[in-house]
Amino acid sequence: MKTIKHLPQDNKQCGWFHTSPQRTPKPALQGNLSARFVVIGAGFTGLAAARQLAKRFPNDEIVLVEAQEVGFGTAGRNSGFVIDLPHDIGAADYIGDITIARKTLQLQQQAQQLITDLVHEHHIDCGLEHAGKYQCAVEPKGIRVLEAYQRGLERLGQDYTWLAQEELQQHIGMHFYQKALYTPGTLLIQPSAFVKGAADALPSNVSLYEHTAITSVDYGSKITLGHAYGHIVADKLVLANNGFASSFGFLQGRLLPVFTYASMTRPLNEDEQAALGGKSTWGIIPADPFGSTLRRTADQRLIVRNSMSFNPNGKCSDAQLKTAYQRHVQSYQRRFPMLKDVTFEYTWGGAMCLSRNHMPFFGQLAPNVYGSLCCNGLGTTRGTMGGHLLANWLAGDEDEMIAFLLGSEQPCANPPQPFLSMGVNFNLMLGQQRAGMEA
Ligand SMILES: Cc1cc2nc3c(=O)[nH]c(=O)nc-3n(C[C@H](O)[C@H](O)[C@H](O)COP(=O)(O)OP(=O)(O)OC[C@H]3O[C@@H](n4cnc5c(N)ncnc54)[C@H](O)[C@@H]3O)c2cc1C
């Protein structure tokens, strides 16, 4: 029996979670049960996998377990960009290999469709908007990144619009950015509201257990999963718990649990909205990957996301939250001098899972164990599609997209500790310093 050493334990102050519709979480599992399929993790990946498994195996019960409450973990903590375009941060033009980029675009557009259909079918109140995204640059080096991105978009045959400072200000209110490349295909959502809604819309043959952390596992012809009040015996296990998969003995030394952080203001009053100007909602992505992501939400709050830390135990500390908050205040003050009296109401961190070669994992991990893991910060689309296609593959499908995911490179091996922590921490520090005013 393997004990699961690292369990998720996110901080309480996630603004998206507290400002999304309240729901009654499903009770924790009490006692023992057995099922043909057990899915661990109810984020984008696990919810999509459970939903599709339920459709493809209508006579089986699908068990979905989540250590925390749905909407409280990383899936409810992100910035809510559901992006169509490839975002290969390893490539100078963010597009990289054109064949992979075309498939990625197709995959992410299919994920957008799944999300849109689910929202409409179940009337999920998550502010889904076809808003596009503004990729913004503050300094000449950021503009050079956007110019390279423009060349990548042209290779891919995708639409974009350049916006210079004055015109951009009419869209976003701020005069802070020099230039932006606007791409129209991105959807924006309230992420916690979306996953809460998706959990409540699961098919009737999915049994969801929240506040049910899997604390031990025994692999064999059947898989036994321990939790606080008993165990579950599964014919097949699907791991949809992102970086926490390495605690289950898989992809060890290949995954990088990196936290990133966000702060959300109180709602702006009418005078403050007028002082800011621009459109009533928008989403901004930085030119520099270490810069700040921003959202203006439908309920007129502003969100700043930046800062990263390497947390191999899957938890961030109070000191890291405090440092991130201080950086958010600085980034906010630089951008919103007209909104001096507006303060942050919430600050939170969320665990991402990165790999050094920016590749996810999709496929079989061991006999009867499967996974769609390592989101590389793009889990709204990649997780949704990974979970959906993994279920189809388990049902026997072998289409073009499944072949693409199965044939993709896997997360590469990392150097051993302590060199790994030294290297990752150094690179994060350097990246954050180099981001300069983009942060
Ligand atoms: C601040 C921030 C901003 C981001 N912005 C964006 C964005 O705008 N767009 C985008 O696409 N992505 C973004 N991301 C990344 C995105 O949130 C992730 O890629 C996505 O959540 C991954 O989905 P997932 O379902 O694979 O994993 P997760 O959302 O991490 O879900 C895994 C779940 O597994 C559960 N779990 C783990 N271990 C166990 C266990 N032992 N037992 C039971 N349950 C367990 C966890 O509690 C968790 O809920 C952002 C992330 C952060 C932190």
Side-chain angles (χ1 to χ4, degrees):
M1 187 71 91
K2 181 177 178 54
T3 302
I4 308 303
K5 271 207 229 128
H6 300 311
L7 294 173
Q9 204 183 342
D10 288 308
N11 77 300
K12 292 202 165 59
Q13 289 302 309
C14 174
W16 290 122
F17 178 77
H18 293 292
T19 61
S20 52
Q22 284 194 353
R23 62 183 272 279
T24 308
K26 297 281 186 289
L29 178 57
Q30 309 285 334
N32 303 330
L33 57 80
S34 56
R36 182 157 176 208
F37 292 102
V38 175
V39 180
I40 299 181
F44 287 92
T45 309
L47 287 163
R51 158 171 296 279
Q52 191 63 6
L53 282 170
K55 283 196 181 155
R56 300 301 300 268
F57 298 92
N59 300 319
D60 285 304
E61 187 197 3
I62 316 298
V63 170
L64 173 61
V65 284
E66 169 52 50
Q68 311 184 95
E69 188 174 325
V70 172
F72 186 80
T74 302
R77 288 172 179 253
N78 62 67
S79 303
F81 289 78
V82 183
I83 300 178
D84 54 337
L85 296 167
H87 195 77
D88 178 357
I89 57 166
D93 65 358
Y94 284 137
I95 300 299
D97 181 287
I98 196 69
T99 314
I100 296 178
R102 287 203 180 102
K103 283 269 182 334
T104 304
L105 176 66
Q106 208 182 330
L107 192 82
Q108 296 186 174
Q109 285 175 336
Q110 287 177 14
Q112 288 186 321
Q113 196 57 54
L114 284 178
I115 288 173
T116 307
D117 290 348
L118 192 67
V119 166
H120 290 152
E121 192 184 335
H122 295 277
H123 310 289
I124 298 175
D125 180 13
C126 67
L128 173 77
E129 261 189 280
H130 294 256
K133 68 174 164 58
Y134 298 89
Q135 194 137 355
C136 293
V138 191
E139 295 176 303
K141 67 175 179 176
I143 295 175
R144 285 195 292 278
V145 173
L146 296 186
E147 286 166 351
Y149 184 39
Q150 172 198 355
R151 291 191 288 275
L153 291 172
E154 277 170 2
R155 280 199 300 131
L156 195 58
Q158 292 300 301
D159 290 346
Y160 62 83
T161 310
W162 277 110
L163 296 165
Q165 196 166 31
E166 305 304 327
E167 199 184 351
L168 179 60
Q169 191 180 5
Q170 289 168 22
H171 289 243
I172 60 173
M174 277 171 275
H175 196 257
F176 180 70
Y177 293 102
Q178 297 274 317
K179 239 177 160 178
L181 202 54
Y182 173 78
T183 48
T186 292
L187 311 180
L188 295 178
I189 54 170
Q190 207 294 15
S192 190
F194 171 76
V195 287
K196 286 178 182 182
D200 286 339
L202 284 166
S204 58
N205 56 330
V206 178
S207 301
L208 166 64
Y209 298 98
E210 294 175 65
H211 294 295
T212 302
I214 298 303
T215 51
S216 67
V217 58
D218 204 3
Y219 299 109
S221 57
K222 300 231 177 206
I223 293 140
T224 307
L225 302 158
H227 60 91
Y229 307 106
H231 58 262
I232 312 171
V233 178
D235 291 353
K236 290 192 191 299
L237 173 64
V238 173
L239 287 179
N241 55 352
N242 219 5
F244 289 95
S246 47
S247 286
F248 286 71
F250 300 110
L251 302 173
Q252 281 175 327
R254 290 173 185 270
L255 307 181
L256 300 171
V258 168
F259 270 66
T260 185
Y261 300 84
S263 291
M264 179 190 266
T265 66
R266 63 163 170 76
L268 307 183
N269 62 34
E270 279 182 17
D271 290 344
E272 290 161 345
Q273 290 172 43
L276 174 57
K279 293 184 178 179
S280 62
T281 56
W282 41 249
I284 293 173
I285 299 262
D288 184 308
F290 285 93
S292 296
T293 302
L294 286 103
R295 287 275 311 262
R296 180 174 180 177
T297 64
D299 62 349
Q300 294 308 307
R301 295 169 187 268
L302 295 167
I303 298 176
V304 179
R305 184 219 53 87
N306 62 38
S307 307
M308 291 190 203
S309 64
F310 182 48
N311 299 76
N313 66 356
K315 293 179 187 68
C316 67
S317 66
D318 289 346
Q320 287 168 330
L321 280 162
K322 197 169 159 198
T323 305
Y325 167 77
Q326 285 160 351
R327 287 198 184 125
H328 296 158
V329 170
Q330 283 173 4
S331 304
Y332 176 90
Q333 286 173 346
R334 279 203 284 269
R335 286 165 175 80
F336 303 106
M338 71 300 262
L339 298 173
K340 281 197 189 72
D341 297 333
V342 181
T343 50
F344 288 127
E345 215 167 69
Y346 301 98
T347 296
W348 65 94
M352 294 187 295
C353 177
L354 310 182
S355 58
R356 283 193 311 134
N357 58 351
H358 316 293
M359 296 308 292
F361 176 85
F362 175 92
Q364 184 159 16
L365 292 155
N368 298 318
V369 186
Y370 305 85
S372 175
L373 302 157
C374 194
C375 71
N376 280 298
L378 301 166
T380 58
T381 49
R382 296 301 292 244
T384 299
M385 222 41 212
H388 180 85
L389 292 177
L390 193 63
N392 284 346
W393 184 52
L394 287 168
D397 289 6
E398 288 179 4
D399 63 27
E400 191 196 353
M401 280 300 153
I402 292 173
F404 168 60
L405 291 180
L406 288 172
S408 295
E409 228 181 293
Q410 295 194 359
C412 64
N414 296 322
Q417 289 288 17
F419 305 107
L420 178 65
S421 286
M422 282 159 54
V424 177
N425 287 326
F426 178 72
N427 277 309
L428 292 180
M429 193 189 71
L430 199 68
Q432 281 163 176
Q433 264 176 16
R434 281 191 183 151
M437 296 292 278
E438 308 281 346

